[in-house]
Amino acid sequence: MSANRPAAVVVLAAGEGTRMKSATPKVLHSICGRSLVGHVLAAARELDPENLVVVVGHAREQVSAHLAEIDPAVRTAVQAEQNGTGHAVRMALEELGGSIDGTVVVVCGDTPLLTGETLTNLASAHTTDGNAVTVLTAEVPDATGYGRIVRDDVSGAVTAIVEHKDATESQRAIREINSGVFAFDGQLLADALGKVRTDNSQGEEYLTDVLGILREAGHRVGASVAADHREIAGINNRVQLAEARRTLNDRLLTDAMLAGVTVVDPATTWVDVTVTFEQDAVVQPGTQLLGATHLAAGAEVGPNTRLKDTKVGPGARVDNTVADTAEIGQDASVGPYAYLRPGTRLGLKSKVGTYVETKNASIGEGTKVPHLSYVGDATIGEYSNIGAASVFVNYDGQAKHHTTVGSHCRTGSDNMFVAPVTIGDGAYTAAGSVITKDVPPGSLAVARGQQRNIEGWVARKRPGSAAAQAAEEARRETAGES
Ligand code: UD1
Ligand code: MG
């Protein structure tokens, strides 16, 4: 690595990205949980460059703030007006003191599929061949919009890059294109940039012209052809954004499957680059795994599940669930139709069942909240059972309060636990109770109105109704009349 360590990587990210038709700068659009420029920086970091410079221009406050967040060591160079990719690289070299010894790698901020491996191969080919410039190229099925690689008929050497807009009909037939990624000799780059003109269809300083300038001055110009053309795809519009997302997602799922994860339907499974898996995890269709989500060995999630920053323990089962910043313990069972909000921690073999919402709730080993409940700001011990349709009433309109339920408790259905309140170990509560006072360990709490039956009410108040008839028939049957 160190032998090929570049003096600098320059990332071009000053353009507006007009074709995105967006209020968000192009390089801040994201795929698989990372901005476009974030993907490029991650690949660039694999080269371990001495300097990493991002050229910002359009919406530069927004772009710079994002860069400071994701990679604080990045330097920025401002290109106030977008006068072309050559001009952008000039601004980067100015930031570095005008010129720099060693290799300068230039990449565009809108090529998120580029891998560190491809950049490393480019940098080492550049050094090994002793080139003044090495361009990364690819053969693409549709070259529309890209700069074309023009090669010498006889020697096959690269002679120039011609932009689509400036190309002749026969040049447009060329399918080998400029990826926008280059390795340059830093000093020769600085010299050549001084000679770039603007007499082209866009009136811009093209970085691509450096290649012809260096060649005419007698320097070695090389090309390195990317193994997979999809890697160098530049994102210019939202169709390409969706295609790139699909390609990257496929790449991530392929890696996971080859590492022993079962992905039942890759077409409807979406993952972020930061998601991790252990062997024999299973992902059912229609599942989105986001952020720092981790599936441990044998965990099964989906179908129709969205997990963000959520840890799923070994052997746990998560079905038709939405979870954010939750920890699901080993062999726990969640869903179908559960919503785990931040701060949810589920113990070994615990259960959060159907139509249950949890937030800032710690649910102990073997404890079950099976049906139709809200558990907010709560600590529940081990092997307790929370009855159906219970609400942990945590909010008094001003502040949130905590409820503690002990171990081996049995709370009745349709309970309200009005926080702050504590249910002691081994306590029971009666169905339909509104629990406002602490329940001592081992007690039964009953907190509901007494039942009163008013006999004959229907016959008096609803005479002749179907209810009155049914009641009369029941009375006769009991009395043995027929
Ligand atoms: C560029 C290349 C083209 C190549 C294609 C690969 C040039 C002249 N053309 O075309 O040969 O096939 O990329 O995707 O280099 N940028 C700046 N400042 C500017 C202009 C652009 O920072 O003044 C940045 C943009 O933000 C973007 C990158 O440079 O990240 C490329 O610019 P873009 O407008 O997308 O160029 P293409 O037309 O795609
Ligand atoms: Mg582009």
Side-chain angles (χ1 to χ4, degrees):
M1 171 64 73
S2 56
N4 291 322
R5 188 180 186 198
V9 174
V10 174
V11 178
L12 306 185
E16 179 178 357
T18 329
R19 290 164 278 182
M20 294 297 281
K21 304 215 164 97
S22 176
T24 302
K26 172 163 83 175
V27 294
L28 298 192
H29 281 261
S30 76
I31 60 173
C32 301
R34 201 176 259 167
S35 64
L36 299 184
V37 69
H39 286 290
V40 174
L41 290 179
R45 279 291 175 211
E46 289 187 41
L47 287 174
D48 188 28
E50 285 168 49
N51 297 281
L52 184 46
V53 186
V54 179
V55 182
V56 296
H58 175 79
R60 57 182 171 271
E61 288 81 17
Q62 216 180 327
V63 176
S64 298
H66 173 70
L67 294 172
E69 199 179 302
I70 62 167
D71 191 341
V74 155
R75 294 167 72 168
T76 53
V78 174
Q79 184 194 27
E81 277 178 53
Q82 283 71 66
N83 296 328
T85 46
H87 180 253
V89 174
R90 268 209 297 130
M91 298 302 107
L93 292 184
E94 265 177 33
E95 167 67 25
L96 294 168
S99 68
I100 190 164
D101 284 332
T103 300
V104 175
V105 172
V106 176
V107 297
C108 293
D110 65 353
T111 53
L113 302 177
L114 196 62
T115 61
E117 193 187 347
T118 297
L119 286 180
T120 306
N121 291 342
L122 176 76
S124 58
H126 177 75
T127 314
T128 312
D129 298 349
N131 292 336
V133 54
T134 312
V135 54
L136 180 69
T137 72
E139 293 262 1
V140 294
D142 177 9
T144 309
Y146 286 104
R148 305 300 203 282
I149 302 294
V150 181
R151 288 180 181 266
D152 185 278
D153 284 344
V154 184
S155 69
V158 177
T159 54
I161 299 175
V162 181
E163 287 307 299
H164 181 93
K165 286 181 183 156
D166 303 298
T168 62
E169 267 318 299
S170 64
Q171 285 169 333
R172 284 187 181 179
I174 298 171
R175 298 236 315 270
E176 187 184 7
I177 58 100
N178 166 29
S179 66
V181 181
F182 302 87
F184 292 100
D185 174 277
Q187 295 294 345
L188 294 175
L189 171 64
D191 291 348
L193 280 174
K195 297 177 185 139
V196 167
R197 304 204 316 246
T198 54
D199 53 348
N200 50 57
S201 67
Q202 304 186 81
E204 290 182 352
E205 293 178 36
Y206 288 170
L207 178 63
T208 45
D209 286 354
V210 165
L211 209 123
I213 291 169
L214 289 176
R215 184 184 155 80
E216 267 156 42
H219 296 288
R220 264 185 90 90
V221 173
S224 168
V225 186
D228 182 353
H229 71 82
R230 288 173 307 178
E231 236 193 78
I232 54 84
I235 310 301
N236 294 318
N237 61 45
R238 299 204 205 205
V239 175
Q240 293 167 336
L241 185 71
E243 284 165 357
R245 184 181 292 115
R246 164 69 66 196
T247 302
L248 183 53
N249 193 62
D250 283 347
R251 196 193 279 170
L252 297 168
L253 291 179
T254 298
D255 289 349
M257 290 186 280
L258 293 176
V261 176
T262 294
V263 179
V264 175
D265 184 18
T268 62
T269 300
W270 293 92
V271 291
D272 281 354
V273 284
T274 39
V275 169
T276 51
F277 302 90
E278 289 173 25
Q279 204 170 307
D280 290 318
V282 177
V283 186
Q284 296 289 354
T287 295
Q288 271 181 289
L289 304 174
L290 310 174
T293 292
H294 174 77
L295 305 191
E300 183 172 348
V301 305
N304 311 321
T305 291
R306 184 175 79 235
L307 306 182
K308 178 169 174 277
D309 298 330
T310 290
K311 308 257 175 283
V312 184
R317 181 74 185 91
V318 182
D319 185 0
N320 279 274
T321 288
V322 174
D324 180 1
T325 321
E327 277 178 41
I328 299 168
Q330 180 170 350
D331 296 322
S333 162
V334 180
Y337 314 115
Y339 180 24
L340 311 183
R341 291 167 51 202
T344 295
R345 290 204 312 279
L346 308 184
L348 176 73
K349 294 187 175 164
S350 61
K351 178 186 172 92
V352 166
T354 301
Y355 301 120
V356 174
E357 175 181 346
T358 62
K359 185 218 74 175
N360 188 28
S362 176
I363 293 174
E365 176 178 331
T367 285
K368 294 179 177 164
V369 187
H371 329 276
L372 297 161
S373 294
Y374 172 63
V375 183
D377 298 300
T379 307
I380 309 178
E382 298 181 350
Y383 300 99
S384 286
N385 191 86
I386 304 299
S390 293
V391 174
F392 285 63
V393 182
N394 59 336
Y395 186 47
D396 61 13
Q398 285 180 316
K400 300 285 168 71
H401 302 281
H402 197 86
T403 295
T404 302
V405 177
S407 295
H408 299 282
C409 293
R410 296 281 176 275
T411 67
S413 290
D414 197 22
N415 275 193
M416 302 286 126
F417 300 101
V418 182
V421 71
T422 297
I423 318 294
D425 289 341
Y428 278 55
T429 60
S433 289
V434 178
I435 304 293
T436 53
K437 292 185 217 142
D438 289 355
V439 181
S443 310
L444 167 68
V446 185
R448 63 183 183 210
Q450 292 287 328
Q451 183 170 332
R452 215 158 50 103
N453 293 338
I454 303 169
E455 281 187 27
W457 186 91
V458 171
R460 289 196 304 278
K461 298 290 192 187
R462 303 286 184 270
S465 67
Q469 264 170 20
E472 176 57 16
E473 272 163 37
R475 191 194 59 76
R476 282 191 201 156
E477 255 170 54
T478 318
E481 300 168 18
S482 55

